[in-house]
Amino acid sequence: MDEIIRVENLSKTFRTPFRRKRVDAVSNVSFVVRRGEIFGFLGPNGAGKTTTIKMLTGLIQPTAGTVSMLGGGPADLSVRARIGFLPEQPYFYDYLTPVELLDVFGRIFGIPARIRKERIESLLTQVGLFEARNRTLRKFSKGMLQRTGIAQALLNDPELVILDEPLSGLDPVGRKEVNDLIATLRQQGKTIFFSSHILADIERLCDRVVILDRGVTKAAGTLSELLTSDSGEREILAGGITDVSGLNGLDGVVRCETYGTDAVRIVCESAASDRLVGTLLRAGGTILGVNDRRISLEQLFVSRTIREKSCPATDNEGEVRGVSE
Amino acid sequence: MKNGFADSIRRTFAIARNTVLEAIRNRAFLGMGIAAFGLVVSSIALSSLAVRDQAERVLVDFGLAATSLMEIVIAITMGVILVFKEIDRKTFYLVLPKPIRRSEVIAGKFVGLLGVLGASLLLMAAGWLISLQVKGISIPAGVPQALLLVWAQAALITSVAIFFSSFASPVLSGVFTFGVFMVGSSVTVLQELMQARKGMLATPGPARLIAEGAVAVFPDLSVFNVGKELILRIPVTWEYVGASMLYCGFYCLFFLAIGALVFQRRDFS
């Protein structure tokens, strides 16, 4: 699968206006986004997600590191022509109607007039704004503006869609519609780079994620890798054993419970699983299954961000899991 | 995607078109246009206060001066506000990631404002010419040339305003641009004072050095003022207008190029 985005050691340092104090918004962030996947970019507020996205879209220049997208850099016009971008809380020319706004952007993209007209109508229908197409944007609700933002991000039929918090400001119905739209875009073969802190949506939609906190990568990989590896626990399902009282005292067992009428489920530390399997077999049991125990994305997110807030900033580097390939 | 000159022009005009739309739908600008029209038409009332044989002079001089002044006011206010507003309201976040160069955005804003200045100039010129007709004064032959020069002067000031607004706040940009206008309007006076060798500018020193620097760097805006020629019915040749337009074009390119360079390096954080 070919790479759509490659970010290597990306850093951005700002200076405060008067005291010229250094603020490291993003430090040595690296990741790769592959063609056709939905890539989640996770992190609490102030994690550096939007700063990273602004570097991807050329709105700000990195202090260090490189960004390569669709075979070029963020400044290449031919690359930008193949990208759709929805900024966080997009601001619009509120004196325009959505049709006029999309027309301005369509002209910038160089979409011929007839195709432009058709595509604008189709997109406004797709995001549910066709009825409001002749109303000025200053009369739009927050949710309607978000949909307008999504429409403009798809105007050029992009290969790569970068969405910064696309679900913010949407009601549950709107969120579902946008989620469905993102799923449809994936079916169309588009690559989606999607930042959010709504974990349920990330977990449902994304193939791979990067978790960012205070500008530093805290975790990167496929969801299944991260959610299983991070628990450090395994689950053993054993038949022929019904008495759990003896098992609870064994070294490495986290907890134990009956499962059905003649089986037990043992949650144990991963390192102790082989030894426990041997013990169970010697006790006359049969092993029905051994699986890495999954944690939820929320648990992973909390363990990687909130827990570490109490740690000194200098400890951050030790937590970086490296580039996700 | 082709990145040729035609594409660049297309993108520039997309921004220009939007700039004109913004001005048309901006109530403040509409108010400014109506005020300008009213000011020019009010020259009728002013001319009735003048000595009988001076009415024509007042109408021609005041009408052109009022038109020129209002064009400068529009150029400065729109020039300093439009770029800043896009930065402040973050509408650039949607535009700049698209396949458009930042220099094309600056050029598009400028071209759009030229259109706005042209439209307001036509409105004021209509008011001015109507007042001349009402008072039974024949329209001087050099009016089209004079109006074109007023427009060129406003274009030059717009490029200065856009240059400053690429890095400064609207208030500072407005003050700096007005400063350039004032110094530019005084270049001829400074030259005359230096040649006359009188007062502070007579001997070498800091004052003369500053004056020489100002004369060398600042555009001489008096080249765009042909009010005297109009009153005295002295013809303003198209050759003169062409040369003045070239002069204006050079300064516009200079200010817009530096503005685009500053804008290119700017972070939108």
Side-chain angles (χ1 to χ4, degrees), chain A residues 12 54 58-61 80-81 85 87 91-96 100 103 107-110 152, chain B residues 1 10-11 17-18 21-22 25 86 89-91 93-100 102 267-269:
Chain A
K12 181 67 188 179
K54 281 181 179 174
L59 284 168
I60 58 177
Q61 297 295 316
R80 289 198 209 164
F85 171 52
Y91 295 85
F92 298 98
Y93 301 108
D94 59 6
Y95 50 87
L96 297 179
E100 288 169 337
D103 187 64
R107 285 168 191 266
I108 291 174
F109 278 116
Q152 66 79 34
Chain B
M1 189 179 143
R10 187 202 67 234
R11 293 188 291 261
R17 190 174 170 274
N18 189 34
L21 267 178
E22 181 173 6
R25 296 186 186 171
E86 296 245 24
R89 296 181 67 184
K90 298 179 182 175
T91 41
Y93 287 13
L94 286 171
V95 176
L96 298 180
K98 297 202 163 35
I100 185 164
R102 292 190 183 183
D267 270 353
F268 291 91
S269 49

Side-chain angles (χ1 to χ4, degrees), chain A residues 226-258:
Chain A
L226 291 174
L227 298 182
T228 51
S229 67
D230 218 69
S231 74
E233 291 176 349
R234 280 194 175 151
E235 198 175 77
I236 303 169
L237 204 60
I241 294 173
T242 50
D243 180 20
V244 295
S245 56
L247 293 171
N248 269 323
L250 291 175
D251 192 27
V253 171
V254 176
R255 65 175 177 275
C256 192
E257 60 197 17
T258 53

